[in-house]
Amino acid sequence: PSRVAGVPPDMFSSDGQLWGNPLYDWERMAREDYAWWKLRMKFSSELYDVVRIDHFVGIAHYYSIPAGDDTAKNGVWVDGPGEGLIAAISSVMGGKRVIAEDLGIVIPEVGRMLKRSGYPGMKLMQFGFDSGPDNEYLPCHYDKNVVVYGGTHDNETLVSWYQTITGTERAMVRDYLYDYTTPEDQLYKSMIALILRSAAATCIVPMQDWLGLDNSARINKPSTVGQNWRWRLKKNQLTKKLQKEICQMTTRYGRMNWA
C-alpha cells in the first residue's frame, strides 16, 4: 500500500495510532455501487440483531498515513465516500438496526449524515466530566436516538476510571449524581443507574462494570498490543444476587425487554 489507516495524536497516544491496514479504494467501490459493502452488511444483518459501524466518522473523512512511517503524525484527512455508502448499506439491511460509532474527531458532515440516515450515534458517560455543564456527553443532553455506554471496549472500567480522573472531575461526578454518601467502591452502581435512566433509547453496560471490576478486567487499551481482548467472564461471577440486581435496575428504568 502507498497509504495506510490510523488516527492522529489524541488523548490515548502522542504519536497517534498507526493501524497499518490498507485504505479502501473508494473510487472503484463507488463505480461498483459498493457491491462488496452490500454483501458484507447483508451477511452481518443475517448474523446479528444489531450491527455497529465502527469508525463511522471515516465515511465523512478518514486519516491517511504514508506507508512506511513509524508513527501516525504525518497523516492527512481525506474526504470519505459519504452518503452514497450509507444509502448502499441501508438498502440491504432488511430493517435491522444499525449503530453508528461517531466518536473521535467529528466534523459537521458526520452529524448531517447521522440525521439523514436515522442511525443512532453513541454517547460515553466517561467523556462527560472533563468540562462544564454544556458537555454533550452528560446524560442530561442525550436525545432518544442515541446509544449510551458507560465506557466501551477502549475505555477504562467505571471503577478504575473514577480512580484515575482528577479531583475536580470526581467532585463533578458526585455533584452531578447528587450523591455524596455512597462509598467510592460502590459508586459505579450510581453511574450505571445514571445512564439507565437517561433518555437514550439504548443503554449498554459492559459486564466488567456490572461486576465492579478494575482495569485488570479492561478489554482493550488503544495503541498497545499483546495484552488486549483477553478478559473472559467466569461462570461463578454472574451470581444470583447480581442477576437480581440487574433485573431490578433494568426493570426500574423501563429497560427490561420482554419481547
Side-chain angles (χ1 to χ4, degrees):
S2 59
R3 313 285 298 189
V4 295
V7 292
D10 58 14
M11 62 182 289
F12 294 116
S13 173
S14 59
D15 288 332
Q17 297 179 45
L18 178 61
W19 299 327
N21 48 299
L23 297 169
Y24 294 110
D25 184 348
W26 289 117
E27 291 184 2
R28 179 168 178 174
M29 286 189 158
R31 291 197 300 271
E32 297 173 351
D33 195 26
Y34 302 103
W36 182 86
W37 274 91
K38 287 180 177 179
L39 286 170
R40 180 185 186 185
M41 297 300 290
K42 184 176 187 300
F43 186 68
S44 294
S45 73
E46 294 168 356
L47 289 177
Y48 309 113
D49 296 316
V50 183
V51 179
R52 190 176 83 173
I53 301 177
D54 213 13
H55 306 289
F56 182 83
V57 295
I59 299 177
H61 70 162
Y62 59 91
Y63 199 61
S64 174
I65 305 163
D69 276 18
D70 295 326
T71 74
K73 289 182 177 180
N74 296 323
V76 294
W77 288 104
V78 181
D79 289 341
E83 293 193 36
L85 177 60
I86 295 175
I89 290 172
S90 297
S91 71
V92 298
M93 291 304 292
K96 286 292 182 72
R97 295 179 59 203
V98 173
I99 297 173
E101 189 266 296
D102 59 336
L103 306 174
I105 300 175
V106 177
I107 60 175
E109 179 58 22
V110 174
R112 289 191 288 267
M113 288 194 311
L114 270 180
K115 186 174 182 179
R116 288 192 286 261
S117 70
Y119 299 161
M122 287 173 48
K123 298 295 183 184
L124 266 64
M125 186 206 68
Q126 289 186 17
F127 290 177
F129 299 95
D130 60 358
S131 58
D134 294 330
N135 189 314
E136 66 176 295
Y137 291 103
L138 288 172
C140 60
H141 298 304
Y142 301 164
D143 59 32
K144 186 174 182 179
N145 193 35
V146 298
V147 178
V148 58
Y149 298 70
T152 70
H153 57 278
D154 282 336
N155 301 107
E156 297 182 86
T157 65
L158 288 178
V159 167
S160 286
W161 168 77
Y162 185 78
Q163 293 170 347
T164 57
I165 58 178
T166 68
T168 299
E169 290 168 340
R170 283 196 295 273
M172 185 177 177
V173 171
R174 288 281 190 180
D175 288 342
Y176 195 85
L177 292 170
Y178 204 65
D179 182 347
Y180 306 101
T181 57
T182 299
E184 185 172 308
D185 65 350
Q186 294 293 303
L187 196 61
Y188 70 91
K189 295 181 181 179
S190 297
M191 298 180 200
I192 291 173
L194 175 66
I195 58 177
L196 286 175
R197 62 177 180 262
S198 72
T202 303
C203 178
I204 296 177
V205 181
M207 278 306 305
Q208 294 95 319
D209 290 333
W210 281 115
L211 292 164
L213 301 178
D214 61 18
N215 274 347
S216 62
R218 182 174 180 170
I219 294 179
N220 183 62
K221 187 176 182 180
S223 76
T224 67
V225 295
Q227 300 298 319
N228 298 317
W229 300 99
R230 293 186 172 190
W231 185 81
R232 296 292 184 271
L233 178 69
K234 297 177 181 178
K235 289 182 178 180
N236 62 356
Q237 288 179 296
L238 191 56
T239 63
K240 293 293 184 181
K241 179 182 178 182
L242 179 57
Q243 291 177 47
K244 183 178 180 180
E245 189 170 5
I246 293 173
C247 181
Q248 288 176 335
M249 289 184 71
T250 52
T251 301
R252 181 181 305 130
Y253 298 117
R255 296 190 179 276
M256 179 63 75
N257 181 3
W258 298 104

